[in-house]
Amino acid sequence: MRKAHRTSCIRCGTCCRKGGPVLHHEDKQILLHGYAGHRHLMTIRKGELVFDPAVGMLRPADRELVKVRGKGPEWSCCFFDEKASVCTIYEHRFLECRLLKCWDTRVLEAVIGENTIARTDIINPGDPIVKLIDRHEQECPHQEVQALLAGLSGEADRPRILRELAEFVAKDEAVRSYAISELGLRREFELFIFGRPLAAVLRSHGMAVRRSSSS
């Protein structure tokens, strides 16, 4: 079906229901002025599967990305008011939201992947959580998790792969638990600091990896 000709937003909320935008360096002022905070963000780790609108399919992220987190079963943007069909920070919305015109996406497409921010761009350099993020990346690299998932098609290696995935899940949970119990990290910041739990990533692949009693 042909798209209806349109030259302005009709506030249908479709774009907001598809999730929050990726942040660019131009968006840091929105955070500095308090219109949004770390609790509203989540991290897509390098190697994690993400939807690439340029090609219309899932692919591994080639870099770390920070985006606005979602809410509800549809994971719509956390700043979207479903009842009123409006953005609650519209006057201070992020770059990708300002550039999006569903009737002509060329301007938005030009900035996708350009000048994006990483976690350390919006965390104080002396914060001890930075070292823990580095430890987490070393102990639970997302690229290796995705490589293991890709190897599950081979029956011969399946038991080994499942064991290694379970080990990664255990390490991931241990780092998150330490951050909360020892560093006082609030749960609402967890998705920004560490991204999605690996157990949740595996569930999205239809798996439920259980740790052994000895781990």
Side-chain angles (χ1 to χ4, degrees):
M1 295 179 64
R2 291 184 179 180
K3 292 182 179 178
H5 181 66
R6 189 180 302 156
T7 59
S8 62
C9 177
I10 62 171
R11 291 174 56 179
C12 65
T14 300
C15 55
C16 304
R17 290 187 177 92
K18 291 185 176 180
V22 168
L23 270 60
H24 301 253
H25 280 274
E26 294 90 332
D27 294 316
K28 286 198 274 188
Q29 289 300 315
I30 296 173
L31 303 175
L32 287 173
H33 286 93
Y35 299 115
H38 293 154
R39 68 187 183 280
H40 300 117
L41 308 177
M42 68 175 295
T43 296
I44 303 295
R45 297 171 62 205
K46 183 178 179 180
E48 187 171 353
L49 289 180
V50 292
F51 180 76
D52 185 343
V55 296
M57 61 185 294
L58 290 172
R59 66 169 181 81
D62 60 5
R63 74 192 79 179
E64 178 181 307
L65 300 169
V66 175
K67 69 186 300 292
V68 175
R69 66 192 296 176
K71 62 180 180 181
E74 300 300 322
W75 204 241
S76 60
C77 177
C78 68
F79 291 111
F80 181 58
D81 183 331
E82 299 276 352
K83 292 183 178 180
S85 192
V86 296
C87 171
T88 57
I89 59 165
Y90 185 81
E91 296 299 325
H92 308 285
R93 63 197 186 280
F94 296 94
L95 176 67
E96 291 190 359
C97 303
R98 297 197 303 271
L99 296 180
L100 175 60
K101 299 176 181 179
C102 61
W103 60 92
D104 184 358
T105 59
R106 288 173 295 181
V107 177
L108 174 60
E109 289 170 2
V111 304
I112 291 176
E114 299 295 326
N115 205 29
T116 55
I117 66 172
R119 285 169 287 188
T120 52
D121 292 320
I122 51 176
I123 298 177
N124 292 329
D127 195 314
I129 203 68
V130 173
K131 289 185 178 180
L132 196 58
I133 288 173
D134 289 339
R135 174 185 157 191
H136 184 245
E137 288 298 322
Q138 292 171 9
E139 295 187 0
C140 313
H142 222 294
Q143 298 98 312
E144 290 190 29
V145 172
Q146 291 297 334
L148 288 170
L149 288 169
L152 280 173
S153 56
E155 292 297 325
D157 284 341
R158 189 175 180 85
R160 175 188 61 80
I161 291 174
L162 290 176
R163 285 196 302 272
E164 292 186 18
L165 285 172
E167 290 172 3
F168 277 132
V169 168
K171 290 177 181 178
D172 177 61
E173 292 177 348
V175 171
R176 292 168 189 269
S177 177
Y178 175 82
I180 292 168
S181 62
E182 301 299 323
L183 298 184
L185 179 70
R186 288 158 57 181
R187 287 279 185 186
E188 61 184 336
F189 298 140
E190 183 182 343
L191 284 180
F192 166 67
I193 296 298
F194 299 117
R196 285 197 301 163
L198 289 184
V201 172
L202 297 186
R203 283 197 297 273
S204 71
H205 286 266
M207 301 175 58
V209 176
R210 294 184 176 87
R211 287 181 289 161
S212 66
S213 58
S214 60
S215 60

